[in-house]
Amino acid sequence: MLLPMLGVYQEYVRNHHYSLQVLAEYKMKEEFNRTLKRCEDKSQCEGRSIESFLTCPMYQIPRYLVTLHEILAHTPHEHVDRTNLEYAKRKLETLSQVIHDEVSETENIRKNLAIERMISDGCDILLDANQVFVRQGTLVQVTMSKASYPCPRIGQLGPLPCEKKERLRQVFLFTNHLLIATRTNSGRLKLAKLWITELKMHCY
């Protein structure tokens, strides 16, 4: 059995949260982003991001556990390897629970990095590990402007009528910020800079 090698997975799991934090910090550096994009654009990456590569090993143990369950289902109780298989299953179940907890803890960082990738010019706000994602959705921005006419109307009384314009906005709510963006023709998001709002808590 390769159970002694599980120590490698355990070490990787323990450092997973830290690795994502380091990635978020380095993504604030323009030179790093250029190098990262050049590497991710290579055909060998098959369109996958560095975040997906960092997370991929976390899902191997659950797959091994499923395979082990299937083997045990077809292994007679009196089989000479039954005891070792059950021992391996218990070890993998323990490690699988640790991995599950770690993935849950890093979900926020991975979510922020995924949103940051969707924004065409990036967004340093989302690279803050303490920025907690709350929810996202779509809003309609309504603007009112006075209607224009090719020539003035004689005898018109009262104010000019208003024209209503509606624009679809993508909204992302975090603990300290509200980001509002528009979707470009390429499918990516472009931040409306005037709509990057910092949320401040006031105590009374």
Side-chain angles (χ1 to χ4, degrees):
M1 298 296 293
L2 298 177
L3 285 180
M5 298 300 294
L6 290 181
V8 176
Y9 276 102
Q10 291 173 330
E11 188 68 20
Y12 187 88
V13 170
R14 281 195 294 266
N15 291 326
H16 183 61
H17 189 275
Y18 177 69
S19 68
L20 291 179
Q21 286 182 326
V22 172
L23 175 62
E25 292 174 4
Y26 270 82
K27 289 193 73 174
M28 295 182 182
K29 302 178 180 180
E30 186 176 345
E31 183 178 354
F32 175 81
N33 284 325
R34 287 198 302 266
T35 303
L36 179 61
K37 186 178 186 307
R38 187 170 64 252
C39 293
E40 290 181 341
D41 286 343
K42 292 183 178 180
S43 59
Q44 294 92 327
C45 290
E46 299 179 345
R48 297 174 62 184
S49 66
I50 187 173
E51 292 92 338
S52 67
F53 283 112
L54 287 173
T55 307
C56 183
M58 306 284 286
Y59 296 104
Q60 294 303 316
I61 293 298
R63 292 192 183 105
Y64 296 155
L65 192 54
V66 170
T67 302
L68 197 52
H69 272 285
E70 293 177 355
I71 294 174
L72 278 168
H74 295 85
T75 302
H77 286 276
E78 64 276 7
H79 195 280
V80 65
D81 290 328
R82 179 81 189 191
T83 301
N84 288 335
L85 289 172
E86 290 177 343
Y87 174 74
K89 181 175 74 72
R90 290 194 298 271
K91 285 289 187 180
L92 288 177
E93 285 174 341
T94 301
L95 183 55
S96 180
Q97 183 59 50
V98 174
I99 290 175
H100 178 271
D101 295 340
E102 179 63 26
V103 169
S104 299
E105 290 180 6
T106 58
E107 176 65 27
N108 180 71
I109 297 179
R110 288 185 283 111
K111 179 68 175 178
N112 289 1
L113 290 174
I115 296 174
E116 196 269 343
R117 279 182 173 274
M118 294 165 56
I119 299 172
S120 56
D121 297 323
C123 181
D124 290 347
I125 291 174
L126 300 182
L127 301 179
D128 179 3
N130 297 318
Q131 193 72 242
V132 179
F133 172 80
V134 178
R135 65 184 303 175
Q136 71 183 74
T138 304
L139 293 179
V140 177
Q141 179 187 358
V142 179
T143 57
M144 306 295 291
S145 61
K146 289 185 177 181
S148 58
Y149 296 96
C151 59
R153 293 184 176 182
I154 300 175
Q156 181 175 3
L157 300 176
L160 292 174
C162 293
E163 290 182 346
K164 183 173 70 172
K165 294 183 179 180
E166 297 183 353
R167 295 180 180 178
L168 207 59
R169 302 289 190 182
Q170 302 294 322
V171 182
F172 301 88
L173 177 62
F174 298 86
T175 47
N176 298 324
H177 290 85
L178 176 68
L179 303 185
I180 301 180
T182 56
R183 193 170 294 279
T184 63
N185 294 333
S186 64
R188 302 193 69 186
L189 298 174
K190 184 174 181 60
L191 285 179
K193 293 184 179 180
L194 295 178
W195 293 86
I196 302 177
T197 306
E198 182 178 357
L199 305 177
K200 296 182 179 179
M201 301 297 293
H202 297 279
C203 298
Y204 297 95

